[in-house]
Amino acid sequence: MAVILATDNDFTQVLNSNQRVVVKYYADWCGSCRLFSPKFKRMSDDEAFDGIAFVDVNAETSPEARKLANVTNLPFFAVFKNGQLVDSVAASKEEAVRELIHKLDA
């Protein structure tokens, strides 16, 4: 599945139209964010994560979406289930993000 690019304008709609969502918050100047992008794309194509929407949000240009997850650092990942924040992590390791995504199954 393709990674969805969301902004403040459509972030709530993306959350409400997908039961399970993982969001990567990034900034254009963030090197670690850029390095993680291919991993995030690969994870979105992983059959193990079927039915989960993968979303990219620019934390600098979408302050409302950033507030919903209490973003503290970049890259920052958050999982939402039925529009509600489940958990989040500031990390650049794929294993930490995979563990976060598995919390959607709980």
Side-chain angles (χ1 to χ4, degrees):
M1 180 190 272
V3 176
I4 301 164
L5 184 59
T7 65
D8 276 351
N9 294 335
D10 57 4
F11 186 69
T12 305
Q13 180 188 349
V14 171
L15 289 184
N16 292 334
S17 59
N18 295 281
Q19 186 181 9
R20 300 181 303 157
V21 179
V22 58
V23 181
K24 178 184 80 177
Y25 293 91
Y26 71 95
D28 292 333
W29 51 261
C30 172
S32 295
C33 299
R34 281 196 301 274
L35 289 173
F36 201 90
S37 284
K39 295 176 192 169
F40 198 63
K41 170 68 177 122
R42 196 167 47 249
M43 291 167 73
S44 75
D45 293 332
D46 190 331
E47 288 179 11
F49 300 131
D50 240 14
I52 298 174
F54 283 70
V55 179
D56 268 346
V57 172
N58 186 321
E60 291 193 303
T61 58
S62 298
E64 296 305 314
R66 187 177 67 229
K67 280 185 212 162
L68 284 175
N70 304 311
V71 175
T72 57
N73 213 332
L74 296 174
F76 191 90
F77 299 87
V79 287
F80 294 83
K81 190 170 189 176
N82 298 320
Q84 300 298 310
L85 178 65
V86 174
D87 203 358
S88 59
V89 64
S92 52
K93 296 207 180 321
E94 186 172 343
E95 190 53 41
V97 177
R98 286 183 176 274
E99 285 176 24
L100 182 67
I101 294 171
H102 287 300
K103 292 182 179 184
L104 288 171
D105 297 328

